[in-house]
Amino acid sequence: MVGSVPMTSTVPLPRRPVDPGAPAAGLPAGPEARARHWYENDLGWPTVPGGPLRLRTGVRFDVLDVPAEAGAKALRHLAPHSPVALRGDRMQLLVAAGSAEELPGLLTWLEWGAVALDLRALGAGGTMEAPPPPAGPAAARPESVRAGVAREPSAQGAAVWLRPPGPEREAGASLPAMPAVPASPPVGREGSAPDLVRLVDTVAAQCHRVRLRRACAGHPAGRRDQPLAFS
């Protein structure tokens, strides 16, 4: 009598459904941990320990902090991938590291040094709130994001990317920079001036116009309508 051969089932056992919200293997859990990982590992931007998540300025970039209304007029002087953040009614324009130190002399050279401007420069030793990393199709359409967000302040004053940095570590190459302060004023304030010069001149002029408009409308000058501040 021929013995029976045991049959082994080849049908795999049912798998446990994958939780779409579960973090991928090897990636940090939690939105703030994932955001910190993106900034530090993908962009190479140093962050400040602890929460809420903040980015160090003066290392990979400096920041020009201006009224959103004034900053919107300066976007045409920026490269398409030059990062820009929005926080409440303030716009933060990322510029090359070291620009904050050049700004006082540059404003004097552009004849804005004696004018009270609602303009702040964040450089070495400063920090800025870290906007959440962009996600989804909106991250690939910075112009559509700009058009949608610029109409009203960011929700509850939280920082958001108007033009997110990217791709990865190439963001620094698009930051406005000034190799050297020119020896004489540019003709028509345009000429062949470096991007940072045109950017600062435009931002200063728009900050001045915003301040005058608010004064004419009877809005009292607040703490932000102070002479240029640096940190």
Side-chain angles (χ1 to χ4, degrees), residues 58-84:
V59 181
R60 297 296 301 274
F61 59 86
D62 286 354
V63 174
L64 297 183
D65 185 289
V66 302
E69 183 180 351
K73 301 294 185 180
L75 294 181
R76 63 189 178 91
H77 292 301
L78 299 175
H81 296 293
S82 186
V84 177

Side-chain angles (χ1 to χ4, degrees), residues 95-180:
V95 294
S99 298
E101 298 178 3
E102 299 282 358
L103 195 57
L106 179 56
L107 286 170
T108 299
W109 174 73
L110 289 169
E111 301 179 355
W112 287 110
V115 181
L117 299 172
D118 189 6
L119 167 63
R120 298 184 64 234
L122 304 175
T127 64
M128 67 170 285
E129 180 181 339
R141 298 194 304 270
E143 291 303 321
S144 63
V145 174
R146 176 175 66 84
V149 177
R151 294 191 185 99
E152 56 186 70
S154 55
Q156 300 179 351
V160 296
W161 281 118
L162 201 58
R163 289 183 177 181
E168 298 181 342
R169 294 177 181 264
E170 297 179 7
S174 63
L175 299 180
M178 186 180 67

Side-chain angles (χ1 to χ4, degrees), residues 1 11-12 29 40-41 85 106 114 144 172 183 193 196 199 213 220:
M1 181 177 180
V11 179
E40 293 185 345
N41 294 78
L106 179 56
S144 63
L196 183 63
L199 174 63
R213 189 180 304 115

Side-chain angles (χ1 to χ4, degrees), residues 183-196:
S184 59
V187 178
R189 290 196 172 184
E190 289 293 333
S192 57
D195 287 345
L196 183 63

